[in-house]
Amino acid sequence: MALQRDRLTLNTELRHLSIKDRIQLSTILDIDHNWKLLAAIIPKPDGMDGSLITSSNVKVLEDLLKIGKSPTQALLDFWGTSGRKRATIEDFIKLLNSCRLYRASLFLCNDILKLESFDHLIDINCSDSYLDTESINKMTNNLNLNTKGNTSFGDDKSFAGKGFSELSTNLCHQPMDKMDAKNCFLDPSAPNESLISFSTLEDNNAQNIVNENIMQYSYEEIRRATNDFADHKLGEGAFGAVYRCRLRRDSDFIAVKRLKSDFQKQFLSELKVMTKFSHKNLLSICGISCDGPSLLIIYHYMSNGSLQECLEKRPQCLSWSQRLAIALGTARGICHLHTFDAKPYVHRDIKSANILLDNDLNARVGDFGLVRVGSGADNTSTKPLATTIIGTTIYMAPEAYRGDISVKLDSFSFGIVLLELVSGLKPYDESREGFDLLSYVEERVADLDEEDERSIVRTIGDQSIGPLDERIAAELYRNSRKCVEQRKKYRPAMTEVLQSLECLERN
């Protein structure tokens, strides 16, 4: 849970920094790849010997830049949730000072913590307050790091003799003109790459996956129907853009996902999963195109768009009974993923933007490019760490950053979706206190009796759709609160959540 700035202290765990503050720190540390200097000296947690970040981790972090994501953001997420004794803001400042990343440490002291004095934390004139150049170079060499643009790092004395107020003014607030736009993590509600998790589903080629029931479309035909992918763009994520088109005037609309060139694995993963199941609450595939410069997946077009879009732009279209129906449909789709095979499939990116609504407002879960085989609800062990975990930060359970993939990840994400249905609020909004929805709601209800769900929903319930249905809203909130339990072992599986929602529907 992110805390408001006025509640932060040096002893606050790093993971409680708000998304907005981490974004601002990322814009500082992504410059000239300064995050690599920090990565080189982060120790293992709980007093263990060695470094937390390995050379393979660094390679994964570097790859985030290729898709416009911030390696600093992922690094802080992973470090902040590692170990039993979590890193604190003071730990962060000390390491920043050790490798002379004063701009970031001053930002923490002055802008975030608003300390009146921090000479004891950042003594730039003390030779013992930072590692010598040879030590840091040795660490970075051990990780095979190439820190672009840091040639003057070891001899930087430019801070010596300056007052802290001058440093704060000149450094913490200087413009980001050196910042490449692609290195800046701007949208916390968009897919965000964190550090590490399972390997992807087995590599295969499309022809080995496609069966006779899947239609293969001509790339050229779809290119013409979308006016060379210039018209009717529905949205864009980390893996590619989605377009609406129809191939003939008398045909139904279809949705076409055009994948970016770097994401063939995601194409094959999504295709492999989607050919395994058929369920009315999971988005079905119409066909594919493999004969052009880009891989395409064709879906049925959902005329009412995503749940996120509907809540933001047309909330009056969703009555309380319809919101319950959408929650039920989504839960049924997720449960099918978790139970249709001997091993559960974990979606890993459940969010309102991936819940699509058809003409009758029936919910269908989409976007299966991140699905992985995971552990079941009763398995609390952590899976081996391997390649990359991708998800959406504000929907991600704490254990996701440690590479623990189980069906409980989807339970946590579904809990945030339920909060959206109850409150009608955006999952992330910088204009309110508590930028992410979970933090905002927890702040709003902090002084209320947590067992009195009806009083709580009278405080946070969506008032834009007429009279509040306290019974439905309270039950949705109760299930949400269970789903967002920080400890995985106390979080319900989706089958349990579905039973609770079905009981509400019957009564």
Side-chain angles (χ1 to χ4, degrees):
M1 169 185 166
L3 299 179
Q4 298 301 306
R5 280 188 177 181
D6 59 2
R7 297 176 60 186
L8 296 175
T9 69
L10 287 169
N11 294 324
T12 300
E13 292 182 355
L14 181 60
R15 65 193 177 100
H16 291 312
L17 282 175
S18 72
I19 294 175
K20 184 177 182 180
D21 287 338
R22 280 182 279 172
I23 291 171
Q24 291 177 297
L25 285 163
S26 297
T27 63
I28 296 171
L29 294 175
D30 282 346
I31 293 175
D32 291 338
H33 302 275
N34 282 324
W35 62 269
K36 292 184 180 181
L37 302 173
L38 177 64
I41 64 171
I42 295 176
K44 287 184 178 178
D46 305 323
M48 294 185 290
D49 293 332
S51 298
L52 177 66
I53 307 301
T54 66
S55 56
S56 60
N57 298 157
V58 171
K59 178 61 171 66
V60 171
L61 288 167
E62 289 176 324
D63 289 342
L64 299 187
L65 293 173
K66 297 177 183 178
I67 59 170
K69 303 301 178 185
S70 167
T72 299
Q73 175 77 12
L75 178 64
L76 295 181
D77 287 341
F78 182 60
W79 180 28
T81 56
S82 296
R84 292 179 180 274
K85 185 179 180 182
R86 305 287 171 77
T88 65
I89 295 177
E90 184 174 13
D91 296 330
F92 187 20
I93 292 172
K94 287 179 178 179
L95 290 192
L96 289 170
N97 198 38
S98 294
C99 47
R100 304 184 194 179
L101 296 174
Y102 297 118
R103 183 178 176 193
S105 55
L106 285 168
F107 177 75
L108 280 163
C109 291
N110 190 66
D111 289 58
I112 295 180
L113 297 178
K114 299 188 182 302
L115 300 176
E116 292 184 3
S117 173
F118 38 82
D119 300 52
H120 62 294
L121 292 171
I122 312 176
D123 185 0
I124 61 176
N125 296 308
C126 176
S127 60
D128 294 333
S129 67
Y130 53 75
L131 297 174
D132 60 87
T133 304
E134 183 179 353
S135 298
I136 293 182
N137 287 342
K138 183 177 180 181
M139 291 180 181
T140 55
N141 288 336
N142 287 340
L143 290 182
N144 298 316
L145 304 184
N146 294 312
T147 52
K148 176 183 176 183
N150 281 317
T151 55
S152 62
F153 168 77
D155 302 313
D156 186 4
K157 304 294 183 183
S158 60
F159 294 103
K162 293 188 177 182
F164 280 116
S165 61
E166 183 183 353
L167 285 174
S168 178
T169 300
N170 292 340
L171 295 179
C172 290
H173 302 291
Q174 70 181 21
M176 301 294 177
D177 56 346
K178 294 175 66 178
M179 187 64 188
D180 189 322
K182 74 176 182 178
N183 294 347
C184 185
F185 180 81
L186 296 174
D187 184 1
S189 66
N192 169 43
E193 301 238 8
S194 186
L195 278 178
I196 33 193
S197 86
F198 275 22
S199 58
T200 56
L201 295 172
E202 294 179 6
D203 290 345
N204 211 332
N205 61 62
Q207 296 303 324
N208 289 340
I209 296 175
V210 176
N211 61 41
E212 60 183 9
N213 296 320
I214 294 184
M215 181 179 295
Q216 297 198 46
Y217 287 73
S218 161
Y219 181 90
E220 182 60 25
E221 184 179 22
I222 293 177
R223 187 192 67 79
R224 288 196 303 268
T226 58
N227 191 21
D228 201 14
F229 299 98
D231 294 344
H232 305 297
K233 188 176 182 179
L234 299 176
E236 185 167 2
F239 297 152
V242 180
Y243 301 83
R244 185 193 73 169
C245 69
R246 53 183 175 188
L247 302 182
R248 296 181 306 277
R249 288 188 177 182
D250 60 345
S251 64
D252 293 332
F253 282 108
I254 56 175
V256 178
K257 179 188 284 188
R258 184 192 190 196
L259 276 84
K260 297 176 183 177
S261 58
D262 294 338
F263 296 110
Q264 182 170 348
K265 281 187 177 180
Q266 278 69 29
F267 172 85
L268 297 174
S269 293
E270 184 156 4
L271 196 58
K272 189 170 184 178
V273 172
M274 294 186 76
T275 56
K276 280 179 171 284
F277 61 73
S278 176
H279 191 275
K280 66 179 182 178
N281 295 115
L282 296 174
L283 186 63
S284 58
I285 186 171
C286 296
I288 63 169
S289 172
C290 302
D291 63 346
S294 301
L295 297 171
L296 308 176
I297 304 181
I298 294 87
Y299 308 95
H300 294 289
Y301 172 64
M302 298 289 104
S303 59
N304 275 303
S306 71
L307 174 59
Q308 182 183 53
E309 180 184 10
C310 205
L311 285 171
E312 290 180 10
K313 298 179 180 179
R314 306 184 305 276
Q316 67 281 359
C317 295
L318 299 178
S319 67
W320 286 105
S321 60
Q322 287 168 328
R323 294 181 190 214
L324 172 58
I326 289 170
L328 274 164
T330 304
R332 287 171 179 143
I334 299 170
C335 284
H336 185 73
L337 269 181
H338 291 178
T339 60
F340 80 93
D341 206 356
K343 293 183 178 180
Y345 281 74
V346 183
H347 188 281
R348 298 203 304 159
D349 202 17
I350 296 296
K351 58 182 180 179
S352 56
N354 284 339
I355 299 169
L356 305 175
L357 305 176
D358 66 14
N359 193 53
D360 297 317
L361 294 175
N362 296 310
R364 299 195 187 189
V365 179
D367 201 342
F368 302 97
L370 307 183
V371 170
R372 298 292 180 269
V373 176
S375 63
D378 298 326
N379 189 336
T380 59
S381 63
T382 300
K383 292 291 184 178
L385 304 182
T387 57
T388 306
I389 182 170
I390 311 169
T392 306
T393 307
I394 55 179
Y395 292 88
M396 287 176 69
E399 70 271 14
Y401 296 110
R402 300 190 290 275
D404 184 355
I405 308 300
S406 77
V407 294
K408 298 290 187 75
L409 288 185
D410 290 344
S411 298
F412 186 96
S413 302
F414 183 68
I416 304 297
V417 172
L418 290 179
L419 274 185
E420 291 178 73
L421 286 168
V422 171
S423 67
L425 297 175
K426 295 179 181 179
Y428 181 84
D429 187 348
E430 291 188 10
S431 67
R432 67 186 179 218
E433 291 187 19
F435 306 114
D436 64 282
L437 181 56
L438 180 57
S439 297
Y440 174 76
V441 169
E442 289 178 338
E443 288 287 332
R444 288 286 307 276
V445 305
D447 297 329
L448 301 177
D449 180 0
E450 65 178 18
E451 300 300 325
D452 187 359
E453 283 100 359
R454 296 207 174 197
S455 292
I456 290 173
V457 296
R458 282 195 290 269
T459 301
I460 66 168
D462 190 350
Q463 305 294 328
S464 68
I465 57 172
L468 178 71
D469 189 320
E470 291 185 8
R471 184 179 65 91
I472 292 179
E475 190 65 20
L476 292 179
Y477 174 77
R478 188 178 69 83
N479 279 279
S480 171
R481 194 178 65 186
K482 290 182 178 181
C483 287
V484 297
E485 165 62 51
Q486 295 289 303
R487 293 161 295 183
K488 184 181 76 168
K489 65 180 181 179
Y490 297 129
R491 198 180 306 146
M494 283 303 301
T495 50
E496 180 182 336
V497 178
L498 177 58
Q499 289 175 356
S500 177
L501 295 176
E502 287 178 334
C503 181
L504 174 61
E505 181 187 41
R506 287 193 299 270
N507 296 330

